[in-house]
Each structure stands twice: as structure tokens, then as C-alpha cells.
Amino acid sequence: MTTQVIVLNGGSSSGKSGIARCLQAVLPGPWLALSIDTLVEAMPVSMQASGTGIEFAADGGVSVGPGFRSLQKAWQAGIAEMVRAGARVIIDDVFLGGASTQGDWRRALAGLDVLWVGVRCDVKVAEGREIARGDRVRGMAASQAEPVHQGVAYDLEVDTTHTEALACALAIAAKVD
């Protein structure tokens, strides 16, 4: 079977988006890159700071409510249907629920050929990127660095602490059928 989906999971500012862009450049054929950030940005503003949607605490913590979970499952199902219709997709996600989030993705992507990739980065490096980006609540990188990987099974792990996005993308591309 040919790889249809690449799932990149890692904490905020770990380097997933840069890897996704590099993968689009090095993989043959067109690959769509879809990020959890796009889902959050597409949500009504009223759900971006509410208990039913998603809340970003001043310390970088993120909590999600039932409204967010419902939209997230619909988003996952929609991406899976795009793949079933012939698109190849790179998913840039943050598994806030660790293994349970991967389980949701596994159910949505059932029957598809998926490459699961863990994207790690030293917390201090990720915190530096977080500050440089300026578009994240400080503390997200530190609070997400390890919990997003708890109980998650990967086909491959990359570490962006000292490895550039392109080198990580090439390592991932080597695993794509």
C-alpha cells in the first residue's frame, strides 16, 4: 500500500509546520498540509475562549470542551474523506489527549495507509521559538512538550532540537512508500 497520510504530532513550536512545508517540497506529487491551527482559526471567535470550545490559559495551558471535541472529530472525518477521495495529506497536530487523540485519528483514518511521526524538541529550544514567533501564549511549548507523546505509538520520531526541518523531512520522506 502507498502512504496516503503523514501525521506529525508534537508540542507547540516543536517544528511540525516547517517539516510539513519541507515535506511538500520533497515528496513526489501534491500533498496537502493541514494543521490543527487551521481548525482553531476556523472556529467562531466565541468558541476560542470558552469552556465549550478551546481556552488558552495565561500560563500556556490549553483546555478543550465538548464543542471543540465535536468539531475536531468532524474535522478529522473530513480530512479522512479527502484522503479517500484521492488527496494525500500531511496532518500537523498537537495530541493534547496523547494516546486518546491518536485513537480518535486511528478511527477516522481506518483503512488508510498512515505514517505516524513524533516531532520532539528540547523544551528550552521550543520555548525560544515560542518567544520568537510571538503568536503563541508563553508556556505552551513547555506544557505540551511531553504530554502530547504519552502513550502514542510512532513509526518514526524526529528531533528538531539540532536538526533542521529539511533534514527531518528527508528522514520522513525515506519512510514514505
Side-chain angles (χ1 to χ4, degrees):
M1 197 172 213
T2 302
T3 304
Q4 299 165 287
V5 182
I6 300 169
V7 178
L8 305 175
N9 173 49
S12 180
S13 300
S14 63
K16 299 176 307 296
S17 298
I19 291 171
R21 284 189 298 277
C22 289
L23 281 167
Q24 287 179 301
V26 302
L27 289 170
W31 283 76
L32 299 175
L34 302 171
S35 169
I36 189 69
D37 291 343
T38 305
L39 172 63
V40 173
E41 291 166 7
M43 292 171 55
V45 174
S46 62
M47 288 188 69
Q48 293 181 25
S50 75
T52 189
I54 187 167
E55 290 185 280
F56 300 94
D59 65 357
V62 179
S63 59
V64 296
F68 177 85
R69 284 189 201 93
S70 177
L71 289 175
Q72 183 179 33
K73 285 187 182 192
W75 179 71
Q76 291 169 335
I79 290 172
E81 286 308 311
M82 289 171 61
V83 176
R84 290 184 180 96
R88 294 172 94 186
V89 176
I90 302 160
I91 298 167
D92 167 353
D93 202 351
V94 178
F95 290 5
L96 292 175
S100 69
T101 304
Q102 185 177 39
D104 291 341
W105 272 116
R106 284 190 188 279
R107 284 184 287 284
L109 301 172
L112 300 172
D113 190 357
V114 180
L115 180 67
W116 299 94
V117 181
V119 179
R120 295 185 180 270
C121 182
D122 177 83
V123 173
K124 293 297 179 194
V125 172
E127 286 175 325
R129 292 176 186 167
E130 179 178 73
I131 292 167
R133 287 175 72 155
D135 67 346
R136 295 287 188 266
V137 177
R138 287 186 65 179
M140 285 177 65
S143 69
Q144 295 174 2
E146 287 307 315
V148 301
H149 298 291
Q150 289 179 350
V152 178
Y154 297 114
D155 298 307
L156 174 69
E157 291 189 50
V158 295
D159 190 319
T160 65
T161 303
H162 302 292
T163 307
E164 293 295 324
L166 179 58
C168 291
L170 291 170
I172 296 164
K175 295 280 191 179
V176 173
D177 299 332

